[in-house]
Amino acid sequence: MKTEIDKQIVIVTQLDDEQCIESTKEKLNEQKIRFNKHLKTIPELYSQDDDDDDHNSEYIDGFRMKCRFMKSNHMLLFTNEQDRLIEITEPTRRHPYIDVHKHYPINSFDLCMLSIRLTHKSMSVNDWWTLFKTLITTSNVDSNEKQIQLLCAPAFNLPLPKQIALQSACLIEFYEKFKTTIFSIYRPSTSSLLSTISHITPAIQLSFRPKILQWFDERIQNHKRLKDLLNNNCLCLVACGSKKTSFQYDFSLIEFHIIKQFNASESQLNILVKKFAMKYLHCSLDNYFLRTTILWICEIHDLENYHDIFEVWISFMRDVCRKRFLEHYFLENVNIYERHSGLEDIINTVDYKNIDLFVEKLEENLIFPYFHQYNDRLKNLIKFFESQPVLAFKMKVIYNVIVKSKFFNADNSLHEMCSILCHLSFLEDNDLGHIIDFWSQQWKPLFINFDRDDIVLQQPSVGYQPDQLAQQMTTSVFKLIQIDLNQMINSIQSNP
């Protein structure tokens, strides 16, 4: 089971002299960095032994920087964890990042949770509540994320709200009756591990505005919101290209600051485009081409003045697809257009007559870390039940009895029933030839059957559908598996 790739930039040092940057004149946006006195004090960049090598040590060797970074204390931020297998791939000249693979055992989830409860049984309710608040203190989270956080409560020795516990139990009961069907048509994975991949990119941050940003700076100098970026020097150079000394400008941190400033309408468009990519395009949610379209629209248009913000994006995309041209957001006259299968056909089917329904259907989709695998599994399962109408009818009858009575907005559709089975199946894949019964044998005893009288958590939302709760249950487990609870407890106890 693999999740979406996480991307992080780590600043190795800062550069304050543009004279050190020279174009290779071989490829667009390919630079090399000449050493100065400061850069030679950075161990990831320079060692006295470098002067004895055959190659020219006048410029920073980006490949060597990545190799040294991989062995430096910087990597402890990503590898200093217990109870998980961590693999680090060797850096390459072509890619600016180092891959860190983490594998979390699903089979021992209940043992980890039980061990933490027993080890820290002297902690008070207030202590556990304080610890739990470190997980949920995130501003501007939507109701879906709040529900995911709430489902993590029993890991912090806090009971689930009664309604969630009751509804979760009925989903597990329904799933147990039909899960063999999904695994009869979809072969389980060869591992009982949750695997994550992080792209860790060492970078040299510029503490000045380089000439390459001149076009961007001229555009934003009078922009109501973006002009503040003129005082924010966060452009980076990352090591990748045709030679060991090759570097490229990386604009990720600038983009992060722009997106962080988005108003409500811009944030809504950003989410809608991600949901569009998730539903119609087989690409990353963080696709650079799609992200650039959002940046351009949010610069050109004041979306708060538009009734249908998604219609603005559709109109923009029609023009992009027709011209086969999308200008790089920071580099003038650079086309970054990407051809995506089916994109143009989908864009052309949306018009002012059906756009409201189109957006309504998009908003029904949730963003979660295994969405591509889920879509494939759901498609196959629905196809199977459509070919077995008797079995599908039997499932619907049982669903009415077990699930529908507990959810006032369940729609009883084949899609909803199959969606529940798919979401819950991702934690039951196993390499031993049998299903591991995660939900009934691990999660249910520790999360649903766990109860206490001295504290009651309030349930913030009730208007969710059954398959949405199934997604939240699975995603909350992914979140918990990746958290080092013992480390969190020790940190709280050492800083009373």
Side-chain angles (χ1 to χ4, degrees):
M1 174 63 206
K2 294 182 179 180
T3 61
E4 274 280 283
I5 295 174
D6 175 47
K7 300 178 182 179
Q8 299 191 49
I9 290 181
V10 180
I11 304 301
V12 174
T13 188
Q14 291 194 338
L15 179 63
D16 58 6
D17 184 4
E18 189 167 11
Q19 297 298 320
C20 294
I21 305 172
E22 301 177 12
S23 172
T24 64
K25 297 181 181 180
E26 296 179 9
K27 289 186 177 182
L28 179 70
N29 190 24
E30 187 170 274
Q31 319 292 323
K32 53 185 179 180
I33 307 173
R34 185 187 299 272
F35 274 111
N36 62 15
K37 188 175 181 180
H38 166 69
L39 295 176
K40 285 195 172 185
T41 65
I42 309 302
E44 288 83 5
L45 305 183
Y46 179 78
S47 167
Q48 289 186 347
D49 295 336
D50 296 347
D51 294 330
D52 300 328
D53 292 345
D54 294 334
H55 78 286
N56 189 349
S57 60
E58 183 181 0
Y59 299 96
I60 295 176
D61 186 327
F63 178 74
R64 178 177 285 169
M65 178 188 79
K66 287 181 284 192
C67 293
R68 288 172 174 165
F69 176 89
M70 188 175 69
K71 300 175 182 178
S72 71
N73 290 334
H74 289 291
M75 289 300 291
L76 293 178
L77 294 171
F78 311 100
T79 61
N80 190 21
E81 300 180 20
Q82 298 178 346
D83 302 324
R84 58 213 62 184
L85 174 64
I86 299 176
E87 298 176 287
I88 304 175
T89 60
E90 292 291 330
T92 64
R93 186 185 301 177
R94 178 183 175 187
H95 298 299
Y97 52 80
I98 298 166
D99 277 340
V100 177
H101 300 255
K102 296 182 182 180
H103 307 286
Y104 305 85
I106 298 173
N107 281 348
S108 59
F109 176 81
D110 57 338
L111 297 178
C112 293
M113 294 294 107
L114 189 58
S115 173
I116 289 167
R117 286 187 190 174
L118 294 174
T119 303
H120 303 284
K121 60 182 179 181
S122 62
M123 286 177 60
S124 67
V125 173
N126 286 336
D127 292 335
W128 284 109
W129 175 246
T130 300
L131 185 66
F132 181 57
K133 286 194 294 184
T134 64
L135 178 74
I136 64 176
T137 51
T138 305
S139 59
N140 299 324
V141 296
D142 58 22
S143 59
N144 187 61
E145 180 62 26
K146 288 179 180 177
Q147 188 91 331
I148 291 169
Q149 294 171 351
L150 187 59
L151 282 159
C152 295
F156 296 83
N157 224 20
L158 304 169
L160 287 176
K162 300 294 185 183
Q163 182 177 353
I164 289 184
L166 182 65
Q167 291 174 327
S168 300
C170 78
L171 292 183
I172 293 173
E173 183 183 356
F174 171 73
Y175 171 73
E176 288 296 317
K177 291 184 180 298
F178 291 96
K179 70 179 184 181
T180 54
T181 302
I182 190 170
F183 288 116
S184 68
I185 64 171
Y186 190 93
R187 188 174 181 177
S189 69
T190 57
S191 175
S192 58
L193 300 172
L194 167 65
S195 299
T196 64
I197 304 176
S198 296
H199 286 343
I200 311 301
T201 303
I204 298 174
Q205 184 176 355
L206 307 186
S207 57
F208 56 90
R209 305 292 290 186
K211 295 177 183 177
I212 199 168
L213 287 179
Q214 183 176 349
W215 180 57
F216 173 70
D217 289 348
E218 289 174 353
R219 292 197 335 254
I220 67 170
Q221 60 183 346
N222 295 318
H223 195 279
K224 179 174 63 175
R225 173 173 49 83
L226 296 177
K227 64 182 180 182
D228 293 340
L229 291 170
L230 293 171
N231 301 318
N232 192 337
N233 296 325
C234 52
L235 182 64
C236 294
L237 283 163
V238 297
C240 64
S242 60
K243 298 180 180 179
K244 289 184 177 182
T245 55
S246 298
F247 282 77
Q248 290 185 0
Y249 287 107
D250 186 282
F251 304 91
S252 301
L253 292 182
I254 304 179
E255 292 168 350
F256 171 78
H257 284 287
I258 294 174
I259 294 172
K260 194 176 180 181
Q261 294 177 357
F262 276 178
N263 57 38
S265 297
E266 292 165 340
S267 297
Q268 183 184 1
L269 177 63
N270 190 29
I271 292 172
L272 284 173
V273 172
K274 286 185 177 183
K275 290 184 176 183
F276 177 89
M278 184 180 76
K279 186 171 183 178
Y280 296 106
L281 308 178
H282 201 79
C283 66
S284 166
L285 292 181
D286 194 35
N287 179 268
Y288 190 74
F289 167 66
L290 296 177
R291 186 168 75 246
T292 301
T293 67
I294 297 170
L295 294 176
W296 274 117
I297 285 176
C298 293
E299 176 183 331
I300 297 169
H301 301 282
D302 186 353
L303 293 181
E304 292 184 317
N305 294 330
Y306 288 85
H307 174 66
D308 291 317
I309 59 174
F310 195 70
E311 187 175 8
V312 178
W313 184 77
I314 289 290
S315 176
F316 183 85
M317 288 302 295
R318 276 204 201 97
D319 196 48
V320 167
C321 292
R322 179 175 56 82
K323 295 178 179 177
R324 302 286 192 273
F325 183 83
L326 177 66
E327 190 151 33
H328 193 289
Y329 191 63
F330 300 96
L331 303 178
E332 190 173 11
N333 297 323
V334 176
N335 184 14
I336 63 165
Y337 176 79
E338 287 180 5
R339 184 182 295 275
H340 289 271
S341 177
L343 173 61
E344 194 167 354
D345 291 337
I346 297 166
I347 292 294
N348 289 331
T349 61
V350 183
D351 57 31
Y352 72 93
K353 297 178 182 179
N354 63 9
I355 192 166
D356 288 342
L357 180 61
F358 189 87
V359 171
E360 183 181 330
K361 292 295 183 183
L362 270 187
E363 289 177 335
E364 292 175 358
N365 291 273
L366 301 172
I367 297 175
F368 43 90
Y370 53 95
F371 68 93
H372 280 314
Q373 297 163 82
Y374 163 83
N375 286 339
D376 291 340
R377 192 171 295 194
L378 179 63
K379 180 180 178 181
N380 291 332
L381 190 60
I382 290 177
K383 184 178 180 180
F384 171 80
F385 276 110
E386 287 176 340
S387 69
Q388 302 288 332
V390 175
L391 181 59
F393 178 77
K394 177 184 176 181
M395 182 171 71
K396 188 172 185 178
V397 171
I398 294 174
Y399 185 80
N400 277 336
V401 175
I402 296 176
V403 178
K404 191 176 181 181
S405 59
K406 306 295 190 303
F407 293 84
F408 71 86
N409 59 347
D411 64 20
N412 202 29
S413 65
L414 180 61
H415 181 281
E416 182 175 88
M417 292 183 284
C418 290
S419 179
I420 292 170
L421 297 178
C422 288
H423 280 303
L424 298 183
S425 70
F426 280 99
L427 286 166
E428 303 234 298
D429 291 1
N430 191 260
D431 60 345
L432 302 178
H434 66 276
I435 311 305
I436 65 175
D437 294 325
F438 172 83
W439 294 106
S440 63
Q441 295 184 13
Q442 296 191 45
W443 198 82
K444 187 176 179 181
L446 286 171
F447 282 67
I448 294 180
N449 298 341
F450 169 65
D451 199 2
R452 57 192 303 169
D453 300 325
D454 53 347
I455 186 171
V456 177
L457 296 185
Q458 183 179 0
Q459 184 169 339
S461 174
V462 294
Y464 46 83
Q465 293 179 302
D467 57 337
Q468 184 175 351
L469 179 57
Q471 176 266 321
Q472 293 162 347
M473 290 165 64
T474 300
T475 305
S476 68
V477 174
F478 288 164
K479 181 186 287 288
L480 288 173
I481 288 176
Q482 296 176 68
I483 291 174
D484 192 334
L485 279 176
N486 275 315
Q487 189 178 56
M488 289 178 67
I489 293 169
N490 293 334
S491 177
I492 292 293
Q493 291 177 339
S494 62
N495 297 287

